[in-house]
């Protein structure tokens, strides 16, 4: 049986309360032992010497668009997971807005088939409604059986109150999560960025904060009524954050994720119509960005997720108002989190691991992940929080290069990514 | 000093010296005494939006300087289906354009084109964003009547939100120390409009805004944009139409401007449009002079 010993690392496993110089032994796709340095010598055929780097449970991205089936010119499951591995992600949860929409057990299984050549774990999030058309719920039970970890109509928010209520009830019965892209699209039609001084100056229609927070507030009320679990995707406004904070105080089943770009960039960065700063939800104001950082630090925000949204050059090199929404993010997420949250805002590493691994595993109920406890899956991210490097988008493993972070200097990155006991990437 | 211009995309892009140089050159331009300053130059007028006024103005300006012009038009349906803006730009450039003058319904389209072309781009209006030649010709018109822009109170009344003319004017006037008052119903003049530039304020009461005004600039108001909003056409006329009575609230020597096309009985009355304070025809004449200056500067032929 394949075995691997990770030596000379600093193991941080928040789920087991471990932060120490330990070695980790993997065998048969599982963690079989975590012991003080040197104790496990000679027990594995292969060893990786990580020289003081951090050994953490594998990072899990709750929000990724891999474009397969249907839009292979943007990304494939193989190329997308190929970018996840150097980004330190051992698992990606993939959104259903493919062509066709992933609203069936058949597509859910197809996405996970070995023929897709994924190099990290792929967990489909299935559509909550047929075709994500917002009319009829999909068969949650069948989808869950096929491997779907949650349901969502990401990009096409469920606005109808009754439909969202039934979705939460149906999901609750199966212990599934409903992921909502909170946007009142009746208000945001024709908008290309955040509503504010920059959108006014550029003469571009802007999305007000209330288009997000009103939906989050409605969903929280429904979570209270149904006891269902709603997960707020890519939360971007201070008002929505406040609503989630209050919901948590009231002990409701409400969780939220924030993307690296929303706690790093602001609407002003759009500059003179740079489409690499165009995504949905849009970059917001300084006040929103600062509130998000506060929410991450105080624990209101449960997870960091990328909303990796690859697009081809020609889909961005058009008039700003016609350019596709979205940016790539798998390779820059951990570097941004380490550079900004750890080094600048002094967020301890164990909290970073909670945001990127422990909590994501809990939110979607991924048992045996987000931890290095004996018996858990041998998904491990080894990262060097001090490594200084420059991101070059042209070298990205993703098929698409639509990122605002090209040329950014980072401190920290993944150095080894292990999935199911196998090294899938090494710096 | 000879300021290098490159493309003309927005007012904000220009230095104060460049604005002054364009205005000084525009004053010396005379459309009735044609020159050969731009002899042999090819000016492509790339119009994705119908605009007889601006197109004709640029065309006359180019011809008055001896340049050759070609009009390339596209309907919005052909944009949806057809080649990308950048590909169209490359085609026009390869055919031999020396400068591209573009009107386009999308904000930022001129910036996009300029990023990829080697020939200069003149923005003849992009969506709700900018119309720099209009801002410049309006400054020229004001300066024909006022000693300087500094300290002037300029009231811009109408649909500011959708207006590239308002944005270009406010940015230019603010740069030279004028006070700009945006006036109109809340849908047309949101509070955020005051963030556009220093010295810009918002006032929803036209009678109050007009007190002490040196310049009154009425903007076009499209009836369709009033439909379904809080204001009806009657409401708009009652509160925001520029009338002879309202003009009396401004300074006695105030001038009245409008970028056109004027809809009489809507934004202003005929008495005002044709009255002694009106500079509307002068604006059109100054448009040709200003565009002659812009073309000369952009093509590096200004001395
Ligand atoms: Zn989304």
């Amino acid at each position: 049986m394949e075995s691997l010993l990770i030596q000379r690392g600093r193991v941080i496993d928040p789920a087991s309360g471990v932060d120490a110089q330990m070695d980790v032994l993997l065998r048969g796709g599982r963690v079989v032992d975590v012991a003080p340095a040197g104790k496990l010598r000679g027990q594995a055929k292969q060893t990786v010497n990580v020289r003081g780097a951090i050994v953490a449970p594998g990072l899990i991205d709750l929000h990724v668009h891999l474009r397969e089936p249907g839009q292979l010119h943007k990304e494939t499951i193989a190329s997308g997971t190929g970018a996840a591995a150097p980004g330190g992600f051992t698992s990606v949860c993939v959104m259903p807005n493919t062509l066709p929409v992933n609203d069936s057990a058949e597509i859910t299984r197809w996405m996970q088939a070995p023929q897709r050549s994924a190099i990290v774990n792929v967990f489909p999030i299935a559509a909550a409604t047929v075709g994500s058309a917002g009319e009829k719920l999909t068969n949650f039970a069948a989808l869950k059986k096929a491997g779907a970890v949650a349901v969502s109509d990401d990009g096409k928010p469920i606005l109808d109150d009754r439909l969202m209520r039934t979705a939460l009830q149906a999901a609750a019965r199966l212990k599934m999560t409903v992921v909502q892209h909170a946007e009142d699209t009746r208000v945001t039609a024709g908008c290309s960025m955040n509503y504010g001084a920059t959108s006014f100056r550029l003469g571009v229609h802007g999305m007000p904060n209330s288009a997000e927070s009103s939906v989050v507030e409605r969903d929280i009320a429904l979570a209270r009524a149904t006891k269902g679990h709603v997960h707020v995707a890519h939360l971007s406004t201070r008002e929505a954050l406040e609503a989630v904070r209050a919901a948590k105080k009231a002990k409701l089943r409400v969780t939220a994720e924030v993307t690296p770009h929303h706690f790093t960039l602001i609407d002003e960065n759009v500059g003179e119509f740079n489409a690499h700063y165009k995504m949905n939800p849009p970059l917001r104001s300084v006040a929103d960005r600062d509130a998000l950082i506060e929410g991450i630090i105080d624990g209101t925000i449960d997870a960091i997720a990328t909303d990796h949204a690859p697009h081809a050059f020609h889909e961005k090199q058009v008039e700003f108002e016609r350019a596709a929404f979205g940016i790539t993010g798998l390779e820059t997420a951990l570097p941004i989190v380490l550079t900004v949250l750890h080094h600048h805002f002094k967020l301890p590493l164990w909290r970073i691991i909670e945001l990127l691994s422990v909590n994501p595993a809990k939110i979607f109920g991924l048992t045996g992940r987000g931890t290095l406890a004996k018996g858990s899956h041998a998904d491990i991210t080894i990262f060097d929080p001090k490594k200084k490097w420059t991101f070059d988008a042209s070298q990205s493993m993703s098929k698409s290069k639509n990122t605002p972070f090209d040329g950014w200097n980072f401190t920290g990155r993944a150095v080894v990514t292990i999935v199911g006991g196998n090294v899938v990437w090494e710096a | 000093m000879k300021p290098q211009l490159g493309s003309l995309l927005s007012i904000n892009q220009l230095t104060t010296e460049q604005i002054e140089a364009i205005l000084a050159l525009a004053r010396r331009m005379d459309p009735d005494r044609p020159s050969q300053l731009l002899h042999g130059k090819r000016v492509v007028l790339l119009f994705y939006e119908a605009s007889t006024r601006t197109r004709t103005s640029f065309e006359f300006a180019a011809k008055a300087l001896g340049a050759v012009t070609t009009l390339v038009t596209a309907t919005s349906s052909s944009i949806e289906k057809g080649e990308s803006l950048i590909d169209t730009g490359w085609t026009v450039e390869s055919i031999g354009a020396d400068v591209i003058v573009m009107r386009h319904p999308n904000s930022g389209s001129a910036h996009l084109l300029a990023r990829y072309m080697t020939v200069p781009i003149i923005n003849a209006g992009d969506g709700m964003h900018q119309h720099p030649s209009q801002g410049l010709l309006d400054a020229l018109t004001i300066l024909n009547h006022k000693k300087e822009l500094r300290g002037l109170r300029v009231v811009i009344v109408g649909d500011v939100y959708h207006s590239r003319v308002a944005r270009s004017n406010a940015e230019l006037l603010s740069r030279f120390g004028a006070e700009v008052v945006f006036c109109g119903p809340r849908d047309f003049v949101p509070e955020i409009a005051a963030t556009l530039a220093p010295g810009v304020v918002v006032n929803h009461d036209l009678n109050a805004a007009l007190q002490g005004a040196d310049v009154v600039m009425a903007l076009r108001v499209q009836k369709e944009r009033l439909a379904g909003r809080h204001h009806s056409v009657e409401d708009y006329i009652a509160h925001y139409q520029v009338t002879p009575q309202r003009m009396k609230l401004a300074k006695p020597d105030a001038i009245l401007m409008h970028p056109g096309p004027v809809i009489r009985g809507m934004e202003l009355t005929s008495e005002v449009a044709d009255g002694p304070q009106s500079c509307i025809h002068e604006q059109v004449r100054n448009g040709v002079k200003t565009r002659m200056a812009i073309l000369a500067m952009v093509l590096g032929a200004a001395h």
Side-chain angles (χ1 to χ4, degrees), chain A residues 63 65 154-155 181 233-234 280-281 307:
Chain A
H63 197 136
H65 298 273
D154 183 42
H181 165 130
H234 42 51
N280 189 4
D307 194 8

Side-chain angles (χ1 to χ4, degrees), chain A residues 255-340:
Chain A
T255 53
E257 73 193 26
V258 162
T259 72
H261 47 277
H262 284 112
F263 70 74
T264 317
L265 306 172
I266 54 170
D267 59 356
E268 266 180 63
N269 297 130
V270 168
E272 300 297 332
F273 305 95
N274 189 335
H276 281 154
Y277 294 81
K278 179 180 176 182
M279 69 291 286
N280 189 4
L283 298 173
R284 303 284 186 181
S285 68
V286 176
D288 292 302
R289 184 196 59 187
D290 293 351
L292 295 186
I293 288 173
E294 215 180 288
I296 291 167
I297 291 171
D298 74 15
T300 305
I301 296 302
D302 300 274
I304 306 291
T306 64
D307 194 8
H308 177 81
H311 292 292
F313 281 116
H314 71 266
E315 292 159 328
K316 283 288 194 181
Q317 288 173 330
V318 293
E319 297 84 335
F320 186 80
E321 291 167 301
R322 299 176 66 222
F325 285 102
I327 61 170
T328 59
L330 286 166
E331 287 153 297
T332 47
L334 176 63
I336 294 170
V337 166
L338 289 170
T339 305
V340 177

